[in-house]
Short mmCIF file of all heavy atoms in Angstrom, two decimals:
data_model
loop_
_atom_site.label_atom_id
_atom_site.label_comp_id
_atom_site.label_asym_id
_atom_site.label_seq_id
_atom_site.Cartn_x
_atom_site.Cartn_y
_atom_site.Cartn_z
N ILE A 1 117.03 91.67 45.32
CA ILE A 1 115.99 90.65 45.38
C ILE A 1 114.67 91.23 44.76
O ILE A 1 114.09 92.23 45.23
CB ILE A 1 115.61 90.25 46.82
CG1 ILE A 1 116.97 89.77 47.44
CG2 ILE A 1 114.57 89.20 46.86
CD1 ILE A 1 116.82 89.49 49.01
N LEU A 2 114.29 90.51 43.70
CA LEU A 2 112.97 90.97 43.05
C LEU A 2 111.80 90.71 44.00
O LEU A 2 111.64 89.60 44.47
CB LEU A 2 112.84 90.29 41.75
CG LEU A 2 111.51 90.49 40.98
CD1 LEU A 2 111.45 91.97 40.57
CD2 LEU A 2 111.36 89.65 39.74
N ASN A 3 111.01 91.76 44.12
CA ASN A 3 109.79 91.68 45.07
C ASN A 3 108.68 91.62 44.07
O ASN A 3 108.22 92.60 43.58
CB ASN A 3 109.72 92.90 45.95
CG ASN A 3 108.50 92.85 46.82
OD1 ASN A 3 107.72 91.97 46.72
ND2 ASN A 3 108.48 93.74 47.73
N ASN A 4 108.22 90.33 43.82
CA ASN A 4 107.08 90.14 42.88
C ASN A 4 106.00 89.48 43.67
O ASN A 4 105.94 88.29 43.85
CB ASN A 4 107.61 89.21 41.74
CG ASN A 4 106.48 88.91 40.64
OD1 ASN A 4 105.37 89.32 40.89
ND2 ASN A 4 106.87 88.33 39.65
N PRO A 5 105.02 90.21 44.07
CA PRO A 5 103.99 89.71 44.96
C PRO A 5 103.05 88.64 44.25
O PRO A 5 102.48 87.85 44.94
CB PRO A 5 103.14 90.89 45.31
CG PRO A 5 103.89 92.10 44.99
CD PRO A 5 104.93 91.69 43.93
N ALA A 6 103.08 88.73 42.86
CA ALA A 6 102.29 87.65 42.14
C ALA A 6 102.88 86.34 42.17
O ALA A 6 102.31 85.30 41.88
CB ALA A 6 102.19 88.18 40.72
N LYS A 7 104.22 86.23 42.54
CA LYS A 7 104.90 84.95 42.54
C LYS A 7 104.75 84.31 43.90
O LYS A 7 105.09 84.94 44.93
CB LYS A 7 106.43 85.17 42.16
CG LYS A 7 107.17 83.97 41.94
CD LYS A 7 108.64 84.19 41.48
CE LYS A 7 109.32 82.93 41.28
NZ LYS A 7 110.77 83.21 40.78
N LYS A 8 104.46 82.99 43.92
CA LYS A 8 104.38 82.27 45.13
C LYS A 8 105.68 81.85 45.55
O LYS A 8 106.48 81.16 44.90
CB LYS A 8 103.58 81.03 45.00
CG LYS A 8 103.44 80.09 46.13
CD LYS A 8 102.08 79.92 46.57
CE LYS A 8 101.98 78.72 47.63
NZ LYS A 8 102.31 79.27 48.94
N SER A 9 106.15 82.34 46.70
CA SER A 9 107.45 82.13 47.26
C SER A 9 107.48 81.32 48.61
O SER A 9 106.56 81.47 49.23
CB SER A 9 108.24 83.53 47.53
OG SER A 9 108.29 84.25 46.33
N MET A 10 108.57 80.62 48.88
CA MET A 10 108.63 79.97 50.11
C MET A 10 108.99 80.93 51.26
O MET A 10 108.37 80.80 52.36
CB MET A 10 109.82 78.86 50.13
CG MET A 10 109.98 78.19 51.41
SD MET A 10 111.28 76.92 51.35
CE MET A 10 110.39 75.44 51.09
N PHE A 11 109.75 81.98 50.97
CA PHE A 11 110.16 82.96 51.90
C PHE A 11 109.68 84.34 51.55
O PHE A 11 109.63 84.72 50.34
CB PHE A 11 111.67 82.93 52.07
CG PHE A 11 112.29 81.72 52.62
CD1 PHE A 11 112.74 80.66 51.92
CD2 PHE A 11 112.24 81.50 54.08
CE1 PHE A 11 113.33 79.52 52.37
CE2 PHE A 11 112.61 80.34 54.58
CZ PHE A 11 113.22 79.31 53.76
N THR A 12 109.32 85.13 52.44
CA THR A 12 109.00 86.54 52.18
C THR A 12 110.19 87.33 51.72
O THR A 12 111.33 86.82 51.86
CB THR A 12 108.40 87.28 53.44
OG1 THR A 12 109.46 87.44 54.37
CG2 THR A 12 107.23 86.49 53.97
N VAL A 13 110.06 88.50 51.22
CA VAL A 13 111.15 89.32 50.75
C VAL A 13 111.98 89.71 51.92
O VAL A 13 113.24 89.61 51.88
CB VAL A 13 110.63 90.54 49.96
CG1 VAL A 13 111.78 91.46 49.76
CG2 VAL A 13 110.04 90.17 48.67
N ASP A 14 111.40 90.01 53.14
CA ASP A 14 112.08 90.37 54.26
C ASP A 14 112.97 89.22 54.78
O ASP A 14 114.07 89.34 55.32
CB ASP A 14 111.21 90.83 55.37
CG ASP A 14 110.66 92.22 55.13
OD1 ASP A 14 111.20 92.92 54.28
OD2 ASP A 14 109.61 92.59 55.63
N GLU A 15 112.36 87.96 54.69
CA GLU A 15 113.19 86.78 55.12
C GLU A 15 114.37 86.56 54.23
O GLU A 15 115.47 86.26 54.63
CB GLU A 15 112.26 85.56 55.12
CG GLU A 15 111.34 85.50 56.30
CD GLU A 15 110.33 84.44 56.08
OE1 GLU A 15 109.81 84.03 55.00
OE2 GLU A 15 109.91 83.82 57.12
N ARG A 16 114.15 86.71 52.87
CA ARG A 16 115.22 86.54 51.88
C ARG A 16 116.35 87.52 52.12
O ARG A 16 117.53 87.22 52.07
CB ARG A 16 114.73 86.58 50.53
CG ARG A 16 113.96 85.32 50.17
CD ARG A 16 113.40 85.33 48.82
NE ARG A 16 112.03 85.95 48.74
CZ ARG A 16 111.53 86.41 47.75
NH1 ARG A 16 112.02 86.45 46.57
NH2 ARG A 16 110.25 86.87 47.85
N ILE A 17 115.91 88.83 52.38
CA ILE A 17 116.89 89.94 52.69
C ILE A 17 117.71 89.52 53.95
O ILE A 17 118.98 89.54 53.91
CB ILE A 17 116.27 91.26 52.89
CG1 ILE A 17 115.63 91.81 51.59
CG2 ILE A 17 117.16 92.26 53.54
CD1 ILE A 17 114.77 92.98 51.70
N GLU A 18 117.10 89.07 54.92
CA GLU A 18 117.75 88.63 56.14
C GLU A 18 118.77 87.57 55.96
O GLU A 18 119.93 87.59 56.43
CB GLU A 18 116.73 88.21 57.17
CG GLU A 18 117.40 87.85 58.49
CD GLU A 18 116.34 87.18 59.52
OE1 GLU A 18 115.17 87.50 59.34
OE2 GLU A 18 116.70 86.22 60.23
N MET A 19 118.28 86.55 55.22
CA MET A 19 119.20 85.35 54.92
C MET A 19 120.40 85.79 54.08
O MET A 19 121.47 85.36 54.43
CB MET A 19 118.35 84.24 54.32
CG MET A 19 117.39 83.54 55.27
SD MET A 19 116.60 82.13 54.45
CE MET A 19 115.52 82.95 53.21
N LEU A 20 120.14 86.63 53.14
CA LEU A 20 121.19 87.07 52.28
C LEU A 20 122.24 87.91 52.92
O LEU A 20 123.41 87.85 52.77
CB LEU A 20 120.77 87.70 50.98
CG LEU A 20 120.59 86.83 49.80
CD1 LEU A 20 119.73 87.32 48.70
CD2 LEU A 20 122.05 86.49 49.24
N ARG A 21 121.67 88.84 53.77
CA ARG A 21 122.60 89.70 54.52
C ARG A 21 123.44 88.90 55.43
O ARG A 21 124.68 89.19 55.58
CB ARG A 21 121.85 90.76 55.21
CG ARG A 21 121.31 91.90 54.40
CD ARG A 21 120.61 92.97 55.08
NE ARG A 21 120.17 94.07 54.11
CZ ARG A 21 119.23 94.89 54.35
NH1 ARG A 21 118.50 94.88 55.50
NH2 ARG A 21 118.94 95.84 53.44
N HIS A 22 122.84 87.90 56.10
CA HIS A 22 123.69 87.09 56.99
C HIS A 22 124.72 86.37 56.25
O HIS A 22 125.92 86.25 56.63
CB HIS A 22 122.72 86.11 57.69
CG HIS A 22 123.47 85.23 58.77
ND1 HIS A 22 124.08 84.09 58.44
CD2 HIS A 22 123.80 85.47 60.03
CE1 HIS A 22 124.69 83.61 59.49
NE2 HIS A 22 124.53 84.42 60.50
N ALA A 23 124.32 85.83 55.08
CA ALA A 23 125.32 85.01 54.27
C ALA A 23 126.37 85.85 53.62
O ALA A 23 127.53 85.42 53.36
CB ALA A 23 124.55 84.30 53.19
N CYS A 24 126.16 87.17 53.44
CA CYS A 24 127.07 87.99 52.79
C CYS A 24 127.78 88.91 53.70
O CYS A 24 128.57 89.86 53.34
CB CYS A 24 126.32 89.00 51.76
SG CYS A 24 125.60 88.17 50.40
N GLN A 25 127.66 88.70 55.10
CA GLN A 25 128.27 89.64 56.08
C GLN A 25 129.77 89.71 55.94
O GLN A 25 130.35 90.67 56.42
CB GLN A 25 127.78 89.27 57.43
CG GLN A 25 128.18 87.92 57.88
CD GLN A 25 127.52 87.54 59.28
OE1 GLN A 25 126.88 88.42 59.86
NE2 GLN A 25 127.69 86.38 59.66
N VAL A 26 130.43 88.72 55.47
CA VAL A 26 131.83 88.86 55.36
C VAL A 26 132.29 89.54 54.05
O VAL A 26 133.55 89.65 53.88
CB VAL A 26 132.52 87.33 55.29
CG1 VAL A 26 132.16 86.63 56.66
CG2 VAL A 26 132.04 86.51 54.08
N LEU A 27 131.45 89.99 53.32
CA LEU A 27 131.84 90.78 52.04
C LEU A 27 131.38 92.24 52.22
O LEU A 27 130.29 92.69 52.04
CB LEU A 27 130.98 90.17 50.93
CG LEU A 27 131.23 88.68 50.62
CD1 LEU A 27 130.19 88.13 49.70
CD2 LEU A 27 132.64 88.49 50.05
#
């Protein structure tokens, strides 16, 4: 996950990591 502080995001990097880890837990 690209951490680009200049880009306005809906979710923080930590939130995106959490969501992706949950979604990828079967892999």
Side-chain angles (χ1 to χ4, degrees):
I1 301 170
L2 176 61
N3 184 350
N4 182 355
K7 189 174 179 182
K8 176 127 172 72
S9 299
M10 177 179 264
F11 294 98
T12 67
V13 172
D14 288 340
E15 289 171 321
R16 288 180 269 160
I17 289 171
E18 177 190 331
M19 289 186 291
L20 263 163
R21 283 183 178 159
H22 184 272
C24 294
Q25 65 188 352
V26 298
L27 301 168

